[in-house]
Amino acid sequence: MTDLRFHAILFGAALIATFFTWSRDVSYDEDANVVRIWDRDSSEVLAIQYRIAGTDIRIERRTDQAGDYLWGTETLGGGETRTTEFPVGPPGQDLLDQIARLRTVRDLGPLSTDMMTTFGIAAAADRLSVQFPDEQRELILGDQVYGTEQRYAYEAATGVAHVLPRNVTTKLANGREAIRERWVHRFPEEDLARVRVQLGGTVRTMSRLGDTGEWADPGSAAPDVAFGTFMQRVGEVAIVGFAARPGPGARVLVRIDYLDSDDQPLGFLELLRDDSREADPYFVVTETTRVPAQAMSFLALRVEEGLGGALSGGARGLSEL
């Protein structure tokens, strides 16, 4: 009877300890019952900064005449500091959304000094900081959890430790290449009805023939094969990255404005060539890049070689600047 009473007391103490452990100030996702370290709307995230293994990356909100966008800055340390600025693409937006409602795989609670050392937090230099309109939150990033890509994290302001999920930690570890813009355009292809091609002092407007990939002069149903080949090559242009920038002598080879059926702009593309660069002289500017991005050279070269096809058709769609 004494043993039974003793075990009942231990069971009650365990229940009380469990209650206090799980009743800390954390929020839960109502659908998945997921524990959140913090839970904010993604529009409230003004900036994210993380420092990992000699790499410092900042994502911040900016606005220009085209609207709001996310901008990234990567600074690499070491013998010579290098800074690269770049537009943030959809993977970076996804990362921001995840960090706005940052979940924890496990809430570890307060840690002892020994556990801080065991989890690699005591001597950690890696940080994840998030700026909201009314506060800044910062996590110290410790070691990876053994056998996983998850990481231990500790918030000094609350004194609580967590385990961060791999879908966040992997993007942080991969730096700029995981979050930079990769798309030349993001408008729906089915919205594209016309293009206006500017080559030197001449402009040519062409209409799209349904979804066939063919193009014709306005009012004509006869496809212009040479122009269609030119537009196919333009559609294959790809972004390599943003580490290089064109020099002041770079020239615009061609500009293409993309229009919908009401002649409203969907986007644009400018292909530049910097003749001062012996290798990789091509750059591209679009509505998604906002600044010149280094273009994949052999694809850009195909566009330059096909420029004659842009103006080789009839005179119906041609005009002078």
Side-chain angles (χ1 to χ4, degrees):
M1 188 70 178
T2 303
D3 288 344
L4 180 62
R5 189 175 304 163
F6 176 73
H7 286 295
I9 293 172
L10 286 179
F11 180 71
L15 287 177
I16 294 171
T18 301
F19 170 79
F20 282 108
T21 298
W22 290 103
S23 61
R24 283 195 301 273
D25 186 19
V26 295
S27 56
Y28 292 80
D29 182 51
E30 294 180 355
D31 296 327
N33 203 33
V34 171
V35 182
R36 303 283 176 183
I37 300 175
W38 54 71
D39 194 351
R40 306 289 291 258
D41 190 272
S42 59
S43 63
E44 296 181 273
V45 179
L46 303 181
I48 296 170
Q49 185 169 13
Y50 53 96
R51 301 187 295 279
I52 298 179
T55 300
D56 190 325
I57 290 187
R58 179 177 175 84
I59 301 172
E60 60 184 310
R61 294 190 180 276
R62 290 188 179 182
T63 302
D64 62 12
Q65 64 273 17
D68 297 334
Y69 62 98
L70 295 177
W71 191 253
T73 305
E74 179 186 73
T75 302
L76 300 178
E80 181 180 351
T81 301
R82 291 174 295 161
T83 298
T84 301
E85 296 191 57
F86 55 94
V88 174
Q93 178 66 62
D94 290 344
L95 176 63
L96 183 144
D97 294 341
Q98 291 165 352
I99 290 179
R101 306 186 68 226
L102 188 60
R103 64 178 286 256
T104 176
V105 177
R106 289 201 304 277
D107 177 3
L108 301 175
L111 298 182
S112 66
T113 302
D114 288 344
M115 294 303 291
M116 294 273 283
T117 301
T118 300
F119 293 160
I121 293 172
D126 295 354
R127 297 288 189 276
L128 171 63
S129 302
V130 185
Q131 182 66 57
F132 298 107
D134 56 346
E135 65 175 346
Q136 179 170 307
R137 305 287 292 267
E138 181 176 82
L139 296 176
I140 301 170
L141 304 180
D143 294 339
Q144 283 191 345
V145 179
Y146 180 76
T148 75
E149 295 180 68
Q150 302 165 356
R151 288 189 72 171
Y152 296 109
Y154 177 76
E155 188 172 17
T158 62
V160 177
H162 304 273
V163 175
L164 296 186
R166 66 178 299 275
N167 61 348
V168 171
T169 59
T170 300
K171 288 180 181 177
L172 296 179
N174 290 339
R176 178 184 75 230
E177 288 304 309
I179 62 172
R180 70 168 174 85
E181 181 62 75
R182 295 178 179 274
W183 290 35
V184 178
H185 305 291
R186 289 206 293 268
F187 58 78
E189 186 180 356
E190 60 268 22
D191 290 350
L192 178 59
R194 276 179 283 281
V195 292
R196 188 168 54 241
V197 179
Q198 179 180 329
L199 183 57
T202 305
V203 176
R204 188 181 191 191
T205 301
M206 296 289 282
S207 296
R208 189 181 184 207
L209 297 178
D211 58 358
T212 63
E214 297 178 319
W215 295 85
D217 284 300
S220 172
D224 186 318
V225 176
F227 189 87
T229 300
F230 167 74
M231 287 300 298
Q232 181 180 1
R233 293 183 178 185
V234 170
E236 294 171 350
V237 169
I239 296 172
V240 174
F242 296 86
R245 289 284 194 272
R251 54 195 173 92
V252 178
L253 297 176
V254 63
R255 177 184 170 101
I256 303 169
D257 289 285
Y258 299 86
L259 310 170
D260 65 14
S261 57
D262 296 321
D263 285 336
Q264 294 301 306
L266 296 171
F268 72 95
L269 180 146
E270 287 186 348
L271 182 64
L272 289 71
R273 177 170 180 141
D274 183 355
D275 293 324
S276 68
R277 296 173 59 90
E278 293 185 5
D280 301 321
Y282 296 101
F283 295 84
V284 61
V285 185
T286 75
E287 74 280 359
T288 64
T289 72
R290 281 179 162 82
V291 297
Q294 196 163 3
M296 192 169 292
S297 288
F298 80 93
L299 296 176
L301 176 61
R302 281 170 48 82
V303 175
E304 184 178 18
E305 292 174 341
L307 286 177
L311 302 181
S312 63
R316 189 181 312 185
L318 298 178
S319 61
E320 298 294 326
L321 287 177

